[in-house]
Amino acid sequence: MYSAPSSRVQKAREELAGRLREIRKDAGISGRELAARCGWSESKSSRIENAKTPPSDADVTAWCRACAADEQAPDLIAANRLSADAHVQWRRLQRSGLRRLQETTGDLYRETGTFRIYVSDVIPGFLQTPGYAAALLSSIADFRGTPDDVSDAVAARMRRNEVLSNGARRFSFVMEESVLRYRLCGAETMAAQLGHLLGVMDLQNVAVGFIPFSARRAVWPMPTFTIFDDTRVHADTLDAAATLTQPGQVELYARAFERLAQGAVRGAAARSLVADAVASLA
């Protein structure tokens, strides 16, 4: 039985259709001419432009080629592939508990060679101790009203984070100084977390930088995001985890990460910030 696409999916299709329509208009050709150049019926062009029929990757490629806009094809193809699942609702993922949410990214973590992570609010999951992770996930479960499987979720996160010890992979972290100061757990747990962070900074495959409160910024603080190699970005918000794969989107986040990294201190200066945060717990 046919079921109408959700409003979110339909909106994504309409946005893609609108971009294709603008490309055709910019090329100065009619729908009939476009169809002739692509070797399909005029009605197919109309259905695609009016979001009645989702185009295939080959359709998008042919459309752009017919309009002498080949350079726009990669972004449009990525948008087309993600139109149905660009945003995964946290509540849907968490309905069966937080453990499942930790496990959904396991394969992606194992397949990625280079990670670039920017965090402005909490210690990144990769670097969390079990105690800190338990405090954070407990607050999330309470806020969301999800099943209480925090212990299993913490264990799943620790298993997932074993990828950090794989020297073949590279990790670059840029964090706001605020992540060292926010009290999401007790002083003893936070002290242990900060001590663990100092230990991780000795790993050869891990680069850690902090943007001090006093730094002159090139860009503003942003929501958390992770770049997987040069192909995928996860950008988190309160209600959704956005998965971005369009080359233009990935490049934008890579540029943001580079700008943010320019304002970060490393080495002895970074360790000093962590030591100051530990001292403040006394």
Side-chain angles (χ1 to χ4, degrees):
M1 181 180 295
Y2 173 80
S3 59
S6 70
S7 58
R8 177 174 59 82
V9 173
Q10 185 60 27
K11 181 179 179 182
R13 288 179 179 175
E14 289 172 355
E15 289 175 353
L16 176 62
R19 292 178 66 182
L20 291 172
R21 185 184 307 110
E22 290 303 312
I23 289 173
R24 177 183 63 76
K25 290 182 176 180
D26 288 344
I29 61 177
S30 66
R32 177 174 297 179
E33 176 61 22
L34 174 77
R37 294 184 183 186
C38 292
W40 61 49
S41 68
E42 185 177 354
S43 63
K44 178 174 178 177
S45 296
S46 177
R47 290 195 305 272
I48 291 175
E49 275 200 11
N50 290 287
K52 301 298 184 183
T53 299
S56 66
D57 291 352
D59 292 339
V60 172
T61 299
W63 191 293
C64 291
R65 183 177 298 117
C67 298
D70 297 80
E71 73 285 353
Q72 296 193 51
D75 273 2
L76 293 173
I77 289 172
N80 191 35
R81 291 177 179 177
L82 286 173
S83 64
D85 60 356
H87 289 77
V88 178
Q89 297 299 317
W90 285 118
R91 183 170 296 277
R92 179 167 61 84
L93 276 175
Q94 294 174 348
R95 190 171 296 140
S96 59
L98 291 169
R99 177 186 60 82
R100 175 59 181 160
L101 184 59
Q102 304 305 308
E103 294 174 341
T104 56
T105 54
D107 289 342
L108 174 62
Y109 280 34
R110 288 187 289 271
E111 293 167 0
T112 300
T114 300
F115 299 80
R116 284 170 286 176
I117 303 100
Y118 167 75
V119 182
S120 59
D121 46 12
V122 299
I123 300 294
F126 280 113
L127 308 181
Q128 291 173 6
T129 62
Y132 184 94
L136 176 60
L137 293 174
S138 291
S139 67
I140 292 174
D142 179 66
F143 180 76
R144 287 293 187 189
T146 57
D148 184 3
D149 65 342
V150 169
S151 295
D152 290 340
V154 170
R157 174 165 290 190
M158 296 303 110
R159 288 194 299 271
R160 186 191 66 180
N161 289 353
E162 291 174 0
V163 70
L164 195 72
S165 61
N166 186 324
R169 293 180 172 84
R170 293 293 179 264
F171 297 82
S172 181
F173 296 92
V174 173
M175 293 171 266
E176 301 288 342
E177 183 181 352
S178 54
V179 308
L180 304 174
R181 301 287 183 166
Y182 288 145
R183 301 289 185 92
L184 300 175
C185 54
E188 184 176 348
T189 299
M190 190 65 185
Q193 172 63 72
L194 295 175
H196 175 69
L197 187 56
L198 287 170
V200 170
M201 292 168 70
D202 289 331
L203 296 176
Q204 294 298 309
N205 63 322
V206 177
V208 176
F210 298 101
I211 303 175
F213 289 132
S214 59
R216 175 70 172 87
R217 307 189 66 97
V219 292
W220 58 95
M222 300 179 183
T224 292
F225 64 84
T226 301
I227 305 173
F228 300 86
D229 290 326
D230 291 311
T231 60
R232 182 185 184 113
V233 174
H234 285 181
D236 295 348
T237 63
L238 186 62
D239 68 334
T243 299
L244 311 173
T245 61
Q246 293 183 40
Q249 293 173 320
V250 176
E251 191 279 330
L252 182 66
Y253 275 87
R255 187 163 69 249
F257 186 86
E258 181 179 351
R259 297 283 183 87
L260 289 160
Q262 289 173 2
V265 297
R266 304 178 184 277
R271 289 180 174 277
S272 179
L273 287 178
V274 179
D276 289 347
V278 172
S280 72
L281 296 171

